[in-house]
Amino acid sequence: MEKMQSLKEKTYAMEQEYFSPFASKSKYTRGRLREEAPCAMRTDYQRDRDRLIYCKAFRRLKNKTQVFFSPEGDHYITRLTHTLDVAQISRSIARALSLNEDLAEAIALGHDLGHTPFGHSGERILNKLSPVGFEHNVQSLRVVDVLEKDGAGLNLTYEVRDGILNHKKSGNPATLEGKCVSLADRIAYINHDLNDAIRAGILKLGDVPKDIISILGESSKERINTAITSIYNNSVGTDDVKMDSRVEKASAELRAFMFEKVYLSGSAKGEEEKAERMLSAMYSHFMSRPEDLPETYITLLGKYSREQVVCDYLSSMTDRYAVYMFNNLFVPKGWTFIDEK
């Protein structure tokens, strides 16, 4: 026990000596919602990382869409591979700026746990269906606070919870590590979504405006390196994490290009209409028959509105489970015929 305790103290000492004065030191976390005995070996941020990696919602990310619904190819990005990309880029930024890599990674691993099936289309659909509204960052926080461990939640630290809630561009993370994740999220998805669109034959690299490519780079590797280098040059030694205006503008233009040509394209809209019919039908069914919800969600009805709990269940579904559940609820099953000879 003493040796393990000394390992954690060694980590505290290392952070104190080598981290930026603006970094989040593990020893000074603002703590958890509920008090619990500390780990003898790991810091609180390291514990949060481990809790997230082993939770059920994290495992489900492997079968949730990033852009293309239920992609058949082996190399398309899913929510899980996107999350791992964000974690890696976040750690690279944090390391370059002498920030807390463990905290940045924990935030990144949890940032998309609340995402719906069928990608951002599913988020728009649930937001339209439910009078309480739906935002994936708010739902991600609800997953770690309430839904995991059969309603007990993961009891994460304030800093990880804040980073999860505020990872969207419109958010304002309380830590620099949270800002690393917010930027890493945008860096990751516009680059790997572009690669997926090219792989699917929707785009060619030559379709991307040349002024964007000339600034960011032709390959995903070049574009990510450009972004991280820009962040380092504009943030090192300061109490902020940001890109320079030129790279930020080019990144915003690439994002707008992707929305026009991929995310909101005619083919994407056609698939979104199918997803909307499926989710709308299941939402109506469980609103009128909450007794058909799994037991864990029925228990939640004693504390939360029916609209919220139905959204909890639908947003937890993977793409293929949503299709399975829709078929189970609404598609007639074939009869087994008896041989009448």
Side-chain angles (χ1 to χ4, degrees):
M1 180 66 75
E2 288 182 5
K3 287 185 178 180
M4 287 194 294
Q5 188 68 39
S6 68
L7 179 58
K8 186 165 72 171
E9 292 298 330
K10 182 180 178 181
T11 302
Y12 288 158
M14 182 193 68
E15 291 181 358
Q16 196 65 40
E17 182 173 359
Y18 295 110
F19 277 10
S20 161
F22 308 110
S24 299
K25 314 295 196 302
S26 303
K27 189 173 184 178
Y28 304 113
T29 173
R30 290 174 57 173
R32 305 181 185 280
L33 291 174
R34 300 183 302 277
E35 288 291 329
E36 58 181 69
C39 176
M41 182 177 179
R42 296 167 297 164
T43 70
D44 283 333
Y45 300 148
Q46 290 169 343
R47 293 182 82 189
D48 284 358
R49 172 198 177 277
D50 294 349
R51 290 180 186 188
L52 287 159
I53 248 180
Y54 289 113
C55 76
K56 291 180 180 177
F58 183 80
R59 293 198 291 273
R60 288 196 297 268
L61 293 177
K62 68 175 182 265
N63 290 314
K64 287 196 175 189
T65 284
Q66 176 67 18
V67 177
F68 301 102
F69 295 177
S70 301
E72 294 297 328
D74 291 333
H75 302 118
Y76 286 102
I77 293 292
T78 66
R79 281 286 160 204
L80 179 60
T81 51
H82 164 73
T83 294
L84 296 176
D85 281 353
V86 175
Q88 179 57 43
I89 295 171
S90 298
R91 287 194 73 113
S92 294
I93 298 170
R95 181 174 300 175
L97 299 176
S98 299
L99 301 176
N100 195 318
E101 292 181 50
D102 293 329
L103 173 56
E105 183 178 21
I107 295 169
L109 293 175
H111 85 282
D112 268 357
L113 293 182
H115 247 303
T116 61
F118 312 125
H120 286 286
S121 296
E123 181 176 15
R124 289 192 291 270
I125 293 163
L126 283 190
N127 187 51
K128 183 165 68 172
L129 286 172
S130 175
V132 300
F134 187 91
E135 293 181 271
H136 79 270
N137 58 313
V138 176
Q139 188 66 21
S140 294
L141 183 62
R142 182 168 168 80
V143 168
V144 300
D145 279 355
V146 176
L147 301 181
E148 272 297 319
K149 296 181 70 174
D150 297 324
L154 299 179
N155 196 30
L156 303 180
T157 57
Y158 166 83
E159 292 81 7
V160 174
R161 296 174 60 252
D162 169 82
I164 290 172
L165 180 63
N166 289 292
H167 77 269
K168 291 171 66 174
K169 186 177 181 181
S170 58
N172 184 27
T175 66
L176 295 191
E177 291 81 4
K179 291 184 178 183
C180 290
V181 175
S182 181
L183 281 171
D185 185 32
R186 281 171 269 156
I187 293 167
Y189 80 70
I190 60 175
N191 282 292
H192 58 49
D193 290 358
L194 175 58
N195 290 342
D196 273 1
I198 292 171
R199 182 178 291 114
I202 295 173
L203 290 176
K204 297 177 182 177
L205 183 60
D207 296 331
V208 183
K210 289 184 172 56
D211 56 337
I212 296 176
I213 294 298
S214 67
I215 295 172
L216 299 182
E218 293 198 0
S219 68
S220 179
K221 175 183 175 180
E222 290 176 355
R223 291 189 293 271
I224 292 172
N225 186 64
T226 296
I228 294 176
T229 301
S230 172
I231 291 169
Y232 174 78
N233 288 335
N234 283 270
S235 308
V236 65
T238 73
D239 190 13
D240 202 359
V241 181
K242 61 182 180 181
M243 296 179 188
D244 68 76
S245 57
R246 183 168 173 264
V247 173
E248 184 177 32
K249 181 175 182 290
S251 298
E253 289 172 351
L254 178 56
R255 182 176 182 273
F257 172 82
M258 290 295 294
F259 266 91
E260 178 185 355
K261 300 297 184 181
V262 180
Y263 304 141
L264 300 178
S265 66
S267 57
K269 278 295 182 184
E271 292 303 300
E272 184 169 327
E273 288 173 5
K274 298 175 187 177
E276 183 164 7
R277 286 195 292 272
M278 290 175 58
L279 291 175
S280 297
M282 289 192 288
Y283 181 86
S284 296
H285 176 85
F286 290 115
M287 283 297 295
S288 61
R289 297 183 61 179
E291 66 274 13
D292 288 349
L293 289 165
E295 187 62 36
T296 299
Y297 294 91
I298 291 175
T299 302
L300 291 172
L301 289 170
K303 296 181 179 179
Y304 305 100
S305 70
R306 187 178 301 183
E307 293 85 356
Q308 178 64 69
V309 174
V310 171
C311 279
D312 288 339
Y313 183 43
L314 294 181
S315 64
S316 76
M317 294 180 176
T318 62
D319 292 25
R320 65 185 186 181
Y321 184 77
V323 172
Y324 161 80
M325 182 54 65
F326 177 85
N327 287 336
N328 191 53
L329 290 172
F330 300 111
V331 177
K333 296 177 176 61
W335 290 93
T336 299
F337 291 96
I338 300 173
D339 190 347
E340 297 179 349
K341 289 191 292 184

